[in-house]
Amino acid sequence: MKILVTGGAGYIGSHTTLALLEAGYEVVVLDNLCNSSDAALHAIEGICGKSALMIRGDVCDRALLDRIFREHAIDAVLHFAGLKAVGESVRKPLDYYENNVGGSITLCQSMASAGVFRLVFSSSATVYGEPEQMPIREDFPTGIPTNPYGQSKLIVE
């Protein structure tokens, strides 16, 4: 099985990529390296002796996504790509909506065109707003996010 990991060179994405490789999956990583480094992928190879195919690019690039699905027979997608800084999202909300929401829509459109319908989306606890009860459980209803980053994650959910 071949898995596309968007944002696969980031913190969560690289740990997931390592686990997938160790479990015997083939992994294609798509990352624009704005929040990450390809050094993480080199470290993975040193840890497990296997490597993911790294494609430097963006989930907002439909032509690139279509090419990836056409050339690599992807079976499923783990979607970690996105801008992630709460403070920055307050200063640049349109960037967060364009990248996080627009990029997710573009990814889903490309997946649908390729006939790929297995998707795991990495959201954020920010979708719960300011819950009255802690710790947050998965069965809690989403709330009202307090920043554009959280709102962008909730929209994608």
Side-chain angles (χ1 to χ4, degrees):
M1 180 175 251
K2 192 176 281 191
I3 311 293
L4 173 63
V5 181
T6 68
Y11 182 77
I12 296 170
S14 64
H15 283 77
T16 303
T17 295
L18 173 61
L20 289 168
L21 289 169
E22 289 180 328
Y25 293 97
E26 291 180 70
V27 179
V28 176
V29 168
L30 174 65
D31 203 303
N32 66 12
L33 303 178
C34 78
N35 285 321
S36 58
S37 166
D38 57 4
L41 298 177
H42 297 300
I44 288 170
E45 189 171 359
I47 292 168
C48 72
K50 300 176 185 175
S51 62
L53 172 63
M54 168 62 179
I55 299 172
R56 186 167 183 173
D58 199 285
V59 294
C60 295
D61 185 340
R62 175 66 190 265
L64 174 60
L65 289 167
D66 289 346
R67 183 172 57 84
I68 290 169
F69 285 105
R70 190 173 51 251
E71 294 177 1
H72 297 284
I74 302 296
D75 296 296
V77 177
L78 277 68
H79 182 32
F80 301 108
L83 298 176
K84 62 179 181 165
V86 169
E88 181 183 64
S89 79
V90 174
R91 292 188 309 277
K92 300 177 179 180
L94 295 179
D95 290 351
Y96 276 70
Y97 292 117
E98 179 178 28
N99 187 83
N100 296 356
V101 178
S104 296
I105 290 169
T106 301
L107 174 63
C108 288
Q109 289 171 329
S110 186
M111 289 175 64
S113 290
V116 177
F117 298 101
R118 293 181 180 143
L119 172 68
V120 174
F121 170 64
S122 178
S123 190
S124 167
T126 60
V127 301
Y128 297 103
E130 295 182 12
E132 296 176 19
Q133 200 175 350
M134 296 297 273
I136 299 169
R137 295 190 330 255
E138 286 186 43
D139 61 347
F140 278 18
T142 55
I144 300 172
T146 60
N147 54 70
Y149 166 71
Q151 186 66 37
S152 74
K153 288 295 200 172
L154 182 59
I155 290 169
V156 175
E157 281 192 23

